[in-house]
Amino acid sequence: MTQTSLSPRAWAELILLGLIWGGSFLAIRTALDEIGPLTSVLFRTGIAALALWPVIWLRGIKVPRGARLWASLLVMGVLNNVIPFTLMAWGQLHIPTGLTSILNATTAIFGVLVAAIVFADEKLTARKALGVTLGFAGVATAIGPAALLNLDLTSTAQLAVIAGTFSYACAGAWARSRLSGQLAPLAAAAGMLTCSSLVMLPLTLWSEGVPNLDLHPATWAGILYYALIATACAYLLYYRVLAMAGSGNLMLVTLLIPPVAIVLGALVRGEELHTEAYAGLLLLALGLAVLDGRLLRWRRRAPV
């Protein structure tokens, strides 16, 4: 979508979206104290789908129809939910929530690369190449040289999170090529989450067994937060901000998420991040700023 200037209302909703998604990392990690990664994903997609369908019905939004369309939604669900949610949930068992949120910002970096490969109108310009280079430098810094050289459980968890962000990027390309203009955004989201749940159900039953519903209140609080607030409600807010400000401005939310997740992880779980993680976040932020392009535009407009 065309990027527009950010109104005060758009800024407020963008910040709210960053706060919501930033809090999801703590909520997921809290739930993982009592349930497995696959179960956490099944709860997330299933509850979110059940929450979105009544909204679609009340708004009179057209429901997806046709085998080909549902097949596209199935692929979208696997790429945008099943793979990344599972990899990141497993990764969070072994690395801090704040570090997970930093690595999650790689989604935008991979998004540029995948788009440049798939779409003729998304060529990798010099500015984009610089932003991607800075972004990957930030990832390497956040992970640390030792983790890159010695593959252990911690470094594997970090690579799993990064693989999840690559899957997000592939999902974005798939959505543009197969779903763009065919469905209302909320119908696409509900269909995708429904397909994801149908995939996760047998995987969860096979790997982790029948989900236990007799959980600690804190676990249920985490589940309901990341399923209802950070997934179902976040989709509603996401498309509102996208319509108001465009995709370029929406990318700013990527920079708002890690500080929230880092602070919550430190306050609630006593997590500590190494200096390299913060340095990596700064490089990632710089890379995203270069990709966004507004810093260069402001510099050109600044009086000499």
Side-chain angles (χ1 to χ4, degrees):
M1 293 185 66
T2 303
Q3 179 171 312
T4 61
S5 59
L6 279 167
S7 65
R9 181 174 180 178
W11 265 116
E13 296 195 8
L14 184 70
I15 293 171
L16 177 59
L17 186 60
L19 291 172
I20 289 173
W21 275 341
S24 69
F25 292 91
L26 175 63
I28 292 169
R29 186 61 188 87
T30 299
L32 289 172
D33 285 336
E34 199 170 359
I35 61 176
L38 294 178
T39 302
S40 75
V41 177
L42 176 61
F43 281 148
R44 181 175 188 176
T45 59
I47 295 173
L50 290 174
L52 284 179
W53 283 118
V55 176
I56 290 170
W57 179 73
L58 289 172
R59 292 187 177 183
I61 297 174
K62 185 179 178 181
V63 176
R65 297 185 183 277
R68 181 174 295 182
L69 185 54
W70 276 103
S72 295
L73 288 170
L74 175 61
V75 175
M76 184 66 181
V78 170
L79 291 174
N80 200 59
N81 298 148
V82 173
I83 293 175
F85 286 0
T86 301
L87 289 174
M88 291 187 180
W90 179 81
Q92 280 196 253
L93 289 171
H94 308 289
I95 60 175
T97 57
L99 181 56
T100 305
S101 70
I102 292 173
L103 299 177
N104 180 68
T106 316
T107 300
I109 306 298
F110 277 126
V112 170
L113 282 180
V114 171
I117 294 171
V118 175
F119 302 113
D121 60 345
E122 294 283 356
K123 294 181 179 180
L124 194 64
T125 63
R127 175 177 60 80
K128 289 181 179 180
L130 175 60
V132 167
T133 301
L134 288 169
F136 281 128
V139 171
T141 302
I143 293 177
L148 292 173
L149 296 175
N150 303 311
L151 194 62
D152 56 13
L153 191 58
T154 299
S155 57
T156 302
Q158 294 178 85
L159 293 175
V161 173
I162 293 172
T165 67
F166 177 72
S167 188
Y168 278 140
C170 292
W174 178 266
R176 175 178 167 180
S177 62
R178 298 300 180 93
L179 293 171
S180 180
Q182 296 194 51
L183 286 171
L186 284 184
M192 172 188 69
L193 288 165
T194 300
C195 291
S196 302
S197 302
L198 294 175
V199 172
M200 290 305 306
L201 182 59
L203 289 176
T204 303
L205 293 176
W206 174 74
S207 180
E208 298 177 359
V210 177
N212 177 26
L213 300 181
D214 185 18
L215 302 172
H216 191 276
T219 303
W220 274 118
I223 292 170
L224 293 177
Y225 177 86
Y226 69 66
L228 291 177
I229 306 300
T231 304
C233 292
Y235 271 125
L236 298 172
L237 186 58
Y238 174 90
Y239 291 119
R240 279 176 54 86
V241 178
L242 182 62
M244 283 191 291
S247 57
N249 284 320
L250 190 56
M251 191 172 69
L252 293 173
V253 77
T254 310
L255 301 178
L256 302 175
I257 295 171
V260 177
I262 290 169
V263 170
L264 289 176
L267 291 177
V268 178
R269 301 188 67 89
E271 295 177 348
E272 295 182 3
L273 297 183
H274 295 294
T275 305
E276 291 84 355
Y278 294 104
L281 175 58
L282 289 175
L283 281 172
L284 263 170
L286 182 58
L288 291 172
V290 171
L291 287 175
D292 178 63
R294 75 186 67 208
L295 289 179
L296 294 176
R297 292 193 296 271
W298 285 345
R299 184 178 178 182
R300 294 192 188 108
R301 294 173 186 170
V304 180

